[in-house]
Amino acid sequence: KNTDRIIPVALFRHENPKTELRCNLCHKVGGQIREGSLIAFKRGARQVLVHNNCAEYSPEVEVVDSKWKDVIKAVNRGKLFNCSLCKEVGATIGCTAQNCYRIFHFSCSEDAGWRFDRDGKIFYCDLHRKQASDYTPHCDRVSIEYYLTKNPASSLYCRLCDSVQSDGPLGQLLAFQLARRLVCVHESCIKYTSICDTAEVEESRMGHEYKNVFRAIEEARKCTTCAAP
């Protein structure tokens, strides 16, 4: 009951030659590092295509003994909701907090600081994260888009070199969150400090997810060459 049968993507392509290989939840084309590979499901005459993680972390979906349940139900529900972060349709991951109606795509949930592998499938948005059992603040990389929902564009500069440059020799501008604190730093500025732990977090799908970022900023001193903070 409620089981959706996996079919080969090649068969989906053959039976739907005019349909782009695009996830029915996040709408990204093809397999993705964060969202996972595309999987085709069928129930009756209905066929859908979704990323592994977009489907698995939707609350109604269950995976038991390699059998997937209620994937198509999640896709149908996603058509009704726009993501609270990117505003696009297809969001299925709602905040568990009572009377909170915010809802996200899988990747948008992680862009806002949630880590499913670490924090679990029962999702809490950034406004209610303290309600999660065993809540512990972590230094997590978040997206620039999420950062700008909390801060004005004028604050979009590196907290180590004070430059607003967003690319070039300093690398891309990265955003990090610790509890309610949010900062931006250049990839190279933070990567080459002696304080920041730049080893990538193995279980995270976010690139350049470093630790001790906030400690590095707090302990930064004026440069002996240029005298800038």
Side-chain angles (χ1 to χ4, degrees):
K1 186 180 179 181
N2 299 333
T3 299
D4 299 308
R5 181 166 61 92
I6 294 178
I7 62 173
V9 173
L11 178 60
F12 178 92
R13 184 197 292 268
H14 175 74
E15 296 184 354
N16 304 273
K18 296 183 179 180
T19 301
E20 196 171 21
L21 295 183
R22 180 187 299 273
C23 177
N24 288 134
L25 290 174
C26 75
H27 310 296
K28 295 179 182 179
V29 176
Q32 301 286 326
I33 293 176
R34 294 177 63 191
E35 290 82 0
S37 58
L38 282 171
I39 307 175
F41 291 92
K42 181 175 183 178
R43 187 192 298 181
R46 180 79 185 281
Q47 295 183 13
V48 299
L49 198 63
V50 291
H51 288 120
N52 184 97
N53 292 331
C54 294
E56 182 177 352
Y57 292 106
S58 294
E60 62 266 68
V61 173
E62 295 182 58
V63 186
V64 181
D65 296 328
S66 299
K67 294 181 179 179
W68 292 70
K69 295 183 178 181
D70 291 324
V71 175
I72 292 178
K73 181 180 178 181
V75 171
N76 291 340
R77 185 170 63 87
K79 292 180 178 180
L80 304 174
F81 298 102
N82 292 79
C83 177
S84 297
L85 180 59
C86 74
K87 311 305 179 186
E88 297 295 327
V89 74
T92 58
I93 302 172
C95 179
T96 305
Q98 188 174 8
N99 297 323
C100 181
Y101 300 101
R102 301 177 81 209
I103 190 166
F104 299 80
H105 294 111
F106 165 78
S107 57
C108 292
S109 303
E110 294 208 324
D111 279 346
W114 189 261
R115 299 291 180 268
F116 288 94
D117 291 338
R118 180 192 69 204
D119 302 324
K121 187 172 180 177
I122 299 176
F123 170 73
Y124 287 86
C125 73
D126 54 294
L127 300 180
H128 301 105
R129 199 145 293 163
K130 288 184 178 180
Q131 296 183 26
S133 59
D134 302 323
Y135 168 76
T136 302
H138 295 274
C139 175
D140 293 312
R141 187 183 169 198
V142 295
S143 70
I144 294 295
E145 291 73 20
Y146 170 74
Y147 176 91
L148 289 173
T149 66
K150 306 291 182 181
N151 299 276
S154 59
S155 69
L156 205 58
Y157 64 91
C158 178
R159 294 302 175 91
L160 289 173
C161 73
D162 287 336
S163 171
V164 297
Q165 178 182 324
S166 59
D167 208 344
L170 296 176
Q172 62 180 311
L173 200 60
L174 309 176
F176 292 88
Q177 178 175 256
L178 178 63
R180 293 295 178 88
R181 300 172 60 194
L182 283 155
V183 297
C184 289
V185 289
H186 284 119
E187 177 186 348
S188 294
C189 291
I190 196 64
K191 188 173 183 178
Y192 294 108
T193 67
S194 59
I195 297 171
C196 182
D197 181 0
T198 58
E200 295 286 358
V201 182
E202 292 183 3
E203 70 273 14
S204 176
R205 286 170 282 267
M206 294 286 283
H208 309 303
E209 182 150 41
Y210 306 142
K211 299 303 178 185
N212 300 331
V213 171
F214 288 83
R215 181 187 161 202
I217 293 171
E218 290 168 357
E219 296 185 12
R221 299 293 181 266
K222 286 187 176 182
C223 175
T224 55
T225 300
C226 69

